[in-house]
């Protein structure tokens, strides 16, 4: 099932997700749906809040960028109840985008490496280290389940310049190749 993608302005994107309980959610079904939704939007990562679910889960798939990035062939994973244990290495900047913030790309500085503890879709426990683009994709998606967007990492000046675009997105005034859920603010 393909979900509409929640965009900038929806409160669910600003909330910290809750841990999942084993046996309560069909995580196989949900991860399949998340992969399908992500692929339908040509994404390389998707976090549960982006389909309106305030839970600690995200999926990644680096295979579409295999030609530009080495080592991505096995980087198709589900992260459940992840906890980043540490981030280390030099910070490096890269222009990031987000399915919830269509048409905007900005440079974000992130640490080169991280160590993360998580469960996969079979509730198998993992502790792994990632670096480079893999680490960046994980950091971006991890931010989502913490209620943080990449626009929260840019300077107040740059954010001010984007204000009009961001407001338009929250009103649904943006073109996307995928279905979006327009935030309802209740404000007039
Ligand atoms: Ni994103």
């Amino acid at each position: 099932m393909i979900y509409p993608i929640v965009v900038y302005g929806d409160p669910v994107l600003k909330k910290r997700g809750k841990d999942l309980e084993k046996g309560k959610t069909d995580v196989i079904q949900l991860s399949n749906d998340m992969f399908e939704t992500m692929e339908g939007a040509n994404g390389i990562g998707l976090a549960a809040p982006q389909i309106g679910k305030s839970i600690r889960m995200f999926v990644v798939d680096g295979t579409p960028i295999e030609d530009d990035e080495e080592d991505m062939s096995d980087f198709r994973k589900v992260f459940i109840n992840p906890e980043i244990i540490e981030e280390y290495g030099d910070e490096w900047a890269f222009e990031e985008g987000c399915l919830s913030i269509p048409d905007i790309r900005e440079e974000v500085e992130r640490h080169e490496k991280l160590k993360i503890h998580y469960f996969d879709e079979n509730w198998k426990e993992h502790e792994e280290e990632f670096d480079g683009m893999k680490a960046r994709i994980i950091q971006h998606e991890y931010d989502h389940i913490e209620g943080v967007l990449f626009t929260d990492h840019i300077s107040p000046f740059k954010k001010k310049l984007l204000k009009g675009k961001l407001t338009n997105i929250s009103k649904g005034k943006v073109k996307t190749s995928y279905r979006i859920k327009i935030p309802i603010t209740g404000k007039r």
Side-chain angles (χ1 to χ4, degrees), residues 171-183:
K171 289 177 180 166
K173 288 184 200 162
V174 64
K175 271 195 185 159
T176 53
S177 60
Y178 48 89
R179 201 152 58 94
I180 59 170
K181 180 180 173 280
I182 296 157

Side-chain angles (χ1 to χ4, degrees), residues 45-47 50 97-101 140-141 144 148-150:
L46 184 77
Q50 294 181 278
C98 180
L99 295 175
S100 295
I101 314 175
H140 178 112
E141 300 312 326
H144 274 300
V148 175
L149 299 172
F150 81 81

Side-chain angles (χ1 to χ4, degrees), residues 94-159:
F94 184 80
E95 251 189 21
E96 295 188 12
C98 180
L99 295 175
S100 295
I101 314 175
D103 272 355
I104 294 181
R105 298 189 73 87
E106 284 294 334
E107 275 200 353
V108 179
E109 298 244 359
R110 298 193 190 269
H111 285 288
E112 195 187 349
K113 298 174 184 179
L114 60 82
K115 189 194 271 185
I116 189 167
H117 175 266
Y118 67 97
F119 296 86
D120 65 22
E121 68 276 30
N122 300 308
W123 286 100
K124 193 175 169 230
E125 198 172 359
H126 300 266
E127 191 174 298
E128 279 180 78
E129 289 179 67
F130 294 94
D131 62 12
M133 195 55 75
K134 289 182 186 176
R136 179 170 293 270
I137 296 168
I138 290 169
Q139 286 157 331
H140 178 112
E141 300 312 326
Y142 190 86
D143 269 357
H144 274 300
I145 61 169
E146 292 287 313
V148 175
L149 299 172
F150 81 81
T151 45
D152 295 322
H153 291 294
I154 66 176
S155 72
F157 174 73
K158 275 193 177 165
K159 193 151 184 189

Side-chain angles (χ1 to χ4, degrees), residues 75-109:
F75 195 58
R76 183 180 161 90
K77 289 176 185 291
V78 179
F79 292 79
I80 294 169
N81 297 348
E83 290 297 334
I84 289 182
I85 298 158
E86 60 174 325
E87 293 176 273
Y88 52 100
D90 290 339
E91 291 202 348
W92 62 294
F94 184 80
E95 251 189 21
E96 295 188 12
C98 180
L99 295 175
S100 295
I101 314 175
D103 272 355
I104 294 181
R105 298 189 73 87
E106 284 294 334
E107 275 200 353
V108 179
E109 298 244 359

Side-chain angles (χ1 to χ4, degrees), residues 13-73:
L13 295 177
K14 303 298 287 178
K15 263 202 262 177
R16 188 178 190 273
K18 287 208 171 73
D19 272 328
L20 281 94
E21 269 180 61
K22 192 178 174 177
K24 269 204 167 176
T25 305
D26 184 348
V27 289
I28 300 273
Q29 180 65 49
L30 186 53
S31 50
N32 287 340
D33 288 347
M34 287 176 70
F35 276 123
E36 203 184 338
T37 302
M38 179 178 73
E39 280 150 20
N42 295 314
I44 52 173
L46 184 77
Q50 294 181 278
I51 56 164
K53 296 182 187 295
S54 191
I55 51 175
R56 296 181 72 77
M57 176 168 170
F58 60 81
V59 299
V60 299
D61 186 358
T63 55
I65 55 167
E66 242 180 309
D67 292 343
D68 304 317
E69 299 291 332
E70 50 186 89
D71 250 18
M72 282 291 176
S73 54

